[in-house]
Amino acid sequence: MADPEPTEAERVAELHRLADEDYAHGQDPATQAEARGQLAIARSHGNEAGR
């Protein structure tokens, strides 16, 4: 038997929980450093392509 569909309140609560997790992950210094490194690599590739 299939699980019943979640209520609107349950769906909204889950979206809030996921957003909280995403925010916390984005605030992690290691995550931020990795993102800066990836951005630097992308920029260097973009500069090379523009030559």
Side-chain angles (χ1 to χ4, degrees):
M1 185 171 170
D3 291 331
E5 289 292 318
T7 65
E8 182 176 355
E10 290 170 333
R11 289 192 306 268
V12 169
E14 179 66 7
L15 290 173
H16 281 272
R17 187 188 66 75
L18 292 172
D20 287 344
E21 285 180 5
D22 286 346
Y23 180 79
H25 180 70
Q27 297 303 308
D28 177 50
T31 300
Q32 291 175 350
E34 183 179 341
R36 283 191 295 274
Q38 290 174 351
L39 182 57
I41 292 168
R43 284 182 176 154
S44 70
H45 286 287
N47 290 338
E48 291 171 4
R51 292 181 186 188

